[in-house]
Amino acid sequence: MNYTTQMDAARKGIITREMEIVASKEKTDVETLRKLVAEGKVAIPANKNHGSLDPEGIGEGLRTKINVNLGISKDCPNIDVEMEKVRTALDMKVEAIMDLSSFGKTKEFRRRLIDVSPAMIGTVPIYDAVGFYDKELKDITSEEFLEVVEKHARDGVDFVTIHAGINQETAEVFKRNKRLTNIVSRGGSLLYAWMELNDKENPFYEHYDKLLDICEKYDLTLSLGDACRPGSIHDATDASQIKELMILGELTLKAWDRNVQVMIEGPGHMAINEIAANMLIEKKLCHGAPFYVLGPIVTDVAPGYDHITSAIGGAIAASHGADFLCYVTPAEHLRLPNLEDMKEGIIASKIAAHAGDIAKNVKGARDWDNEMSKARQQLNWEKMFQLAIDPEKARRYRKESMPEHEDSCTMCGKMCSMRNMNKIMEGKNINILREDE
């Protein structure tokens, strides 16, 4: 039986190769997974032209996945530097990479990335439009915006961020409700500017059916972007954000009618006490579609440490139902991340995702922690290093400060609780001031 997309296959009762791989990774029943894909509650972004892909599922009951943003810019156009980051990110087992290139040889970098990456690849095609056509934003036509989307789909991109919810209705709500930081989404601000300059409807909203034609053709997953995501905690959960989310819910149903898979992008900057409610609202308004959050960053005053502010928000978001976390690096708001920034951002995001999985009772999540606790109780350092989320750093810290007694560390020495409890439980004496007998 033929099918066009993963969702189409799932609705026809077909279990695809991609579903089998995802079910195996998640240790879940493949028929249960198929039903969730059919309902839109799980997406498996898998472009037909991405030959190197090792598929992952995003959504209900599955492990929280993370995404890494990379790409060249006008100030940092070196493709080889970005490819080094790509190789490192893949070595660190990230599930997704978004190419956010906005200048120069974007096509070359995108194709090299897709060729080598088993991780799913996302893009924001509007970033590429200005450079591709060598036109000012105002002069790009609706048809040309759609052509860039198809170009990315043809290259093998698995999901695209499309800010279709910033339509004229949303724009009017934004104008009536003053914000502290206006529209901080780069793609969203470009589309809003295009609409204002041309006095026209958002082309991705007006020609949404044509966009769905492209998605259906390549099995391209739509990541419906949140143009009005808050760029400060002041603007969180305001009229503009909620209005756009309502539009995204309507667009989700239209996409599902065409068997096109959908993810919903979310905040943004947001105070801790608002995160749980936002996860509930998104899932409700967008019919249980997978939720992809950009942070959330829980305070605005920590430039240089926003991998921490976002990990705090990401863990809370994941624990309340977010399915996909976009990493944030220490360089956020300051500059393009370097290799070390990227590594720190990945680790912080991985910690947040796993913490969320524990809270959501994702199958097997706690097993990892239990194994680490067992290794600690046994003072099995090598096992601890193997289980660590960042084994390299754990080994380095241990090596930098070796204790006198191998069964301790330089923090506690012979006062180590694990060491002494092991001895007592075995009926042995404890000698803290003297050598062991």
Side-chain angles (χ1 to χ4, degrees):
M1 190 183 295
N2 293 327
Y3 61 89
T4 55
T5 67
Q6 293 292 320
M7 177 175 269
D8 183 37
R11 288 174 167 176
K12 290 175 177 176
I14 300 170
I15 293 174
T16 65
R17 169 183 164 274
E18 290 79 10
M19 292 178 204
E20 289 177 342
I21 292 171
V22 170
S24 176
K25 288 181 178 181
E26 301 286 345
K27 299 180 177 60
T28 192
D29 174 63
V30 71
E31 177 61 19
T32 300
L33 178 69
R34 182 197 66 79
K35 290 178 180 177
L36 290 168
V37 174
E39 294 170 1
K41 293 178 180 178
V42 166
I44 303 178
N47 188 311
K48 296 171 183 177
N49 291 344
H50 189 177
S52 61
L53 179 67
D54 184 6
E56 295 282 357
I58 301 169
E60 185 177 305
L62 308 185
R63 289 177 296 107
T64 306
K65 308 306 187 298
I66 72 164
N67 170 71
V68 170
N69 291 336
L70 299 174
I72 55 175
S73 67
K74 186 171 184 178
D75 292 309
C76 301
N78 192 317
I79 291 177
D80 291 333
V81 169
E82 290 306 294
M83 286 305 299
E84 183 184 2
K85 294 180 192 174
V86 168
R87 288 186 287 270
T88 300
L90 294 174
D91 287 344
M92 295 177 76
K93 307 298 183 186
V94 302
E95 290 92 5
I97 296 174
M98 285 201 78
D99 172 16
L100 303 189
S101 295
S102 58
F103 177 82
K105 298 178 181 179
T106 58
K107 181 178 180 179
E108 179 184 341
F109 176 66
R110 182 170 60 254
R111 288 189 169 179
R112 286 176 63 180
L113 172 60
I114 292 167
D115 284 344
V116 304
S117 179
M120 54 189 148
I121 302 300
T123 60
V124 188
I126 193 173
Y127 295 173
D128 198 24
V130 174
F132 180 71
Y133 292 112
D134 194 23
K135 286 183 175 182
E136 284 299 332
L137 178 67
K138 179 180 183 296
D139 300 324
I140 299 173
T141 66
S142 298
E143 292 74 18
E144 287 171 334
F145 279 126
L146 289 166
E147 285 171 9
V148 173
V149 175
E150 180 145 24
K151 179 165 68 76
H152 285 216
R154 192 181 304 117
D155 285 343
V157 167
D158 301 296
F159 64 96
V160 286
T161 293
I162 302 291
H163 300 88
I166 179 71
N167 62 3
Q168 289 181 335
E169 279 185 59
T170 310
E172 287 304 313
V173 172
F174 164 72
K175 290 173 187 177
R176 293 197 305 268
N177 295 271
K178 187 172 176 57
R179 293 181 126 194
L180 196 61
T181 49
N182 294 318
I183 295 176
V184 300
S185 160
R186 182 163 55 177
S189 65
L190 290 171
L191 275 170
Y192 178 81
W194 186 92
M195 292 163 62
E196 290 292 296
L197 291 169
N198 290 285
D199 193 25
K200 289 184 178 179
E201 180 58 278
N202 178 342
F204 293 120
Y205 182 81
E206 184 177 7
H207 303 289
Y208 192 63
D209 286 339
K210 293 180 180 178
L211 176 64
L212 296 178
D213 289 341
I214 298 169
C215 294
E216 189 177 19
K217 180 178 178 181
Y218 297 94
D219 198 358
L220 178 66
T221 298
L222 269 183
S223 184
L224 290 173
D226 52 338
C228 293
R229 71 172 181 265
S232 58
I233 60 171
H234 176 277
D235 294 343
T237 326
D238 71 348
S240 299
Q241 180 194 336
I242 301 303
K243 174 61 180 179
E244 183 181 28
L245 194 59
M246 292 168 66
I247 300 295
L248 296 185
E250 294 172 3
L251 295 176
T252 295
L253 294 180
K254 289 183 179 181
W256 286 348
D257 283 344
R258 296 284 300 277
N259 294 313
V260 171
Q261 299 185 106
V262 171
M263 299 185 291
I264 306 296
E265 292 187 12
H269 293 232
M270 181 165 287
I272 284 175
N273 62 306
E274 296 180 48
I275 295 174
N278 269 261
M279 301 305 106
L280 179 64
I281 291 169
E282 184 279 339
K283 289 287 185 175
K284 187 73 174 177
L285 293 180
C286 295
H287 318 290
F291 197 18
Y292 174 26
V293 296
L294 312 176
I297 289 174
V298 296
T299 176
D300 300 328
V301 298
Y305 297 92
D306 277 329
H307 60 311
I308 297 174
T309 63
S310 71
I312 294 168
I316 296 169
S319 74
H320 288 280
D323 307 291
F324 195 17
L325 306 183
C326 187
Y327 93 146
V328 175
T329 77
E332 184 77 7
H333 304 112
L334 301 172
R335 60 164 168 77
L336 192 77
N338 63 26
L339 183 63
E340 288 305 311
D341 296 329
M342 182 197 75
K343 289 166 70 174
E344 286 194 50
I346 289 172
I347 295 298
S349 192
K350 278 177 170 279
I351 293 168
H354 181 60
D357 288 348
I358 292 169
K360 286 188 289 192
N361 289 316
V362 170
K363 188 178 292 185
R366 286 177 178 264
D367 294 346
W368 185 7
D369 296 77
N370 292 341
E371 284 297 305
M372 176 62 88
S373 296
K374 184 178 179 181
R376 283 181 173 147
Q377 182 270 322
Q378 295 172 343
L379 295 169
N380 185 339
W381 298 99
E382 183 55 36
K383 186 68 172 178
M384 286 186 246
F385 298 147
Q386 292 172 10
L387 289 166
I389 206 162
D390 184 358
E392 179 185 340
K393 188 171 187 177
R395 289 180 189 277
R396 175 164 55 85
Y397 272 42
R398 171 77 173 167
K399 189 175 180 180
E400 286 174 352
S401 185
M402 291 298 293
E404 179 183 359
H405 297 274
E406 179 64 24
D407 61 351
S408 65
C409 76
T410 55
M411 176 71 180
C412 298
K414 292 179 73 175
M415 288 189 181
C416 171
S417 60
M418 293 293 188
R419 174 184 183 274
N420 291 332
M421 284 303 299
N422 288 345
K423 286 181 176 292
I424 287 293
M425 298 294 283
E426 293 168 9
K428 295 179 181 178
N429 190 19
I430 298 174
N431 294 320
I432 294 175
L433 300 179
R434 303 177 304 278
E435 289 299 316
D436 293 341
E437 296 173 353

